[in-house]
Amino acid sequence: MTQARARYAPLIIPFAIVLIVLVVWTAWWFWLSQQVRDRLDVAAEGLRAQGWEVVYSEPVLTGWPFRTRLESQHVRLTAPTGHEIAAPRLAAEANAYRPDRWVVVADDGLVLTRGDKGKVAVAAPVIRASASGLTEPFPNLALEILEPVFTAHPGAEPFPLERAERIELYLRPGEAREAEGATVQTALPASQRNVDVLFRLIDAVGRDGGPIAFMSRDGLFSLQAETVVENFQGLSGPDASSLLAAWTASGGRFLDVRGEMQAGESAARLTADELRADENGRLVGTLRLSADRAAPALAGLAQSDTVNRTATVGAAAAAGADEVLTGDVELEVEFREGRAWLGPFNLAPAPELF
């Protein structure tokens, strides 16, 4: 009997090792899943304490053995300002061996509530967000939406876009550099205070009668913009006005703004050393534009139902010389007093950041 056990031992030992590893790994999976579930509840309670409304059904945990997947239905996140994001179904997934990187998908689309402007539905074959480096002061975040279609709900204000080929947003820790002219000193290095942001809107189609449709002359509109958000940790507060006030007080600014825009036949390159927000959330600063065939876009914009038509027609006329129509033009748009100015021409409201 002893000789038989000794003979079969080399065959039993590998199976025993595999069984032990499987038991340990299963215990780790269940522990990790429970930790994720608990932290989700803690995060939700933290938001509720700040005045947010957080609603979701009991998450379903799956993915054993190599993945941790949480799926929840009827998800709704409402800010104190009335802005809201809702999804019929959300799923979050991570590899069990790398729990610091998560991917969230919304296969059934989203509904965005824009405060008093009403709701807009976003339908797309791919709506995906990811987060990695969650143990760092600021993680790497990414959002990708492929072929979105925007539909305003009845009674809501029209949405500027009808559809697009792709929308991308990336955020990562800023470069380890100190911004010139910082108004608030802090012990944290720039790499822990600043966030690099890259936004891409590719081949978008504006809604009928909207500024984007008129700027592009019913063609395609694309925008790529990148900047450094200074002192991102100052973005805190129970509502938009408090958040903005705290960020501005902390010296929050947009630095090294760079962008490229294509609106139909018109193209522009955008640069700004510094942009910030005023107490009402409107953009403040000077944006330099180097434009090709700017007059068609300005003339088209003058027909929009959201701008000062008289001022825009004047700006288009000022930029309408023959050499401008066939060459480049240098423009400076100044955002001040809640408006966008092109020289003496009051074009439109300044972009509202919050």
Side-chain angles (χ1 to χ4, degrees):
M1 182 65 69
T2 302
Q3 292 179 349
R5 290 178 178 176
R7 185 167 60 252
Y8 288 111
L11 299 177
I12 295 174
I13 291 175
F15 286 102
I17 294 175
V18 170
L19 180 60
I20 293 172
V21 171
L22 183 61
V23 169
V24 172
W25 182 261
T26 301
W28 157 257
W29 187 91
F30 278 104
W31 178 86
L32 175 63
S33 298
Q34 188 59 47
Q35 286 290 309
V36 172
R37 179 69 179 84
D38 293 344
R39 292 189 181 187
L40 175 63
D41 289 339
V42 169
E45 288 302 320
L47 287 173
R48 292 184 182 118
Q50 298 179 39
W52 292 66
E53 184 179 356
V54 184
V55 177
Y56 54 91
S57 65
E58 181 67 23
V60 177
L61 286 168
T62 58
W64 184 88
F66 298 117
R67 295 182 180 180
T68 298
R69 177 183 173 88
L70 285 82
E71 184 173 314
S72 183
Q73 297 182 351
H74 311 300
V75 180
R76 182 161 50 87
L77 182 63
T78 309
T81 58
H83 293 78
E84 177 183 283
I85 180 170
R89 180 166 60 95
L90 279 183
E93 186 175 291
N95 291 323
Y97 53 84
R98 190 181 175 185
D100 67 334
R101 186 181 190 279
W102 284 83
V103 176
V104 180
V105 295
D107 291 331
D108 296 335
L110 299 171
V111 176
L112 307 178
T113 301
R114 301 164 290 157
D116 296 337
K117 296 181 180 180
K119 299 178 182 293
V120 58
V122 184
V126 175
I127 301 178
R128 177 173 53 219
S130 65
S132 61
L134 297 178
T135 59
E136 301 298 325
F138 191 88
N140 288 292
L141 303 176
L143 172 67
E144 182 182 24
I145 306 178
L146 300 183
E147 300 178 1
V149 176
F150 304 93
T151 305
H153 282 206
E157 288 189 17
F159 194 69
L161 299 178
E162 179 180 310
R163 64 182 185 273
E165 181 65 26
R166 177 188 294 264
I167 298 176
E168 298 175 352
L169 176 65
Y170 302 96
L171 297 89
R172 66 179 185 181
E175 296 181 9
R177 65 173 182 268
E178 295 296 332
E180 295 182 0
T183 58
V184 175
Q185 298 298 322
T186 173
L188 292 175
S191 59
Q192 296 183 25
R193 291 188 290 106
N194 301 341
V195 173
D196 291 340
V197 179
L198 173 62
F199 173 78
R200 291 193 181 108
L201 172 64
I202 307 298
D203 290 346
V205 176
R207 66 169 176 86
D208 290 340
I212 291 179
F214 282 112
M215 283 180 62
S216 61
R217 296 297 185 94
D218 294 322
L220 297 178
F221 178 86
S222 295
L223 173 66
Q224 175 172 308
E226 56 184 312
T227 186
V228 178
V229 178
E230 186 182 30
N231 292 332
F232 74 92
Q233 291 180 329
L235 290 167
S236 62
D239 53 46
S241 59
S242 298
L243 178 145
L244 177 61
W247 180 62
T248 303
S250 72
R253 300 176 297 173
F254 298 102
L255 303 173
D256 300 333
V257 179
R258 300 290 183 270
E260 296 181 0
M261 180 178 66
Q262 182 77 38
E265 297 180 358
S266 300
R269 292 157 295 281
L270 315 137
T271 61
D273 296 329
E274 172 189 339
L275 296 172
R276 58 182 179 83
D278 63 16
E279 62 276 6
N280 297 316
R282 298 286 183 179
L283 197 64
V284 175
T286 300
L287 190 64
R288 296 181 295 275
L289 293 89
S290 175
D292 303 328
R293 295 183 58 83
L298 287 170
L301 186 62
Q303 304 175 54
S304 170
D305 54 14
T306 61
V307 302
N308 184 333
R309 299 187 181 187
T310 302
T312 309
V313 168
D322 292 340
E323 61 271 16
V324 171
L325 293 173
T326 58
D328 295 347
V329 59
E330 300 290 334
L331 305 173
E332 283 195 357
V333 176
E334 185 179 2
F335 301 106
R336 56 182 169 84
E337 302 171 353
R339 306 291 297 182
W341 299 80
L342 181 59
F345 300 103
N346 179 353
L347 298 180
E352 189 173 8
L353 301 180
F354 300 96

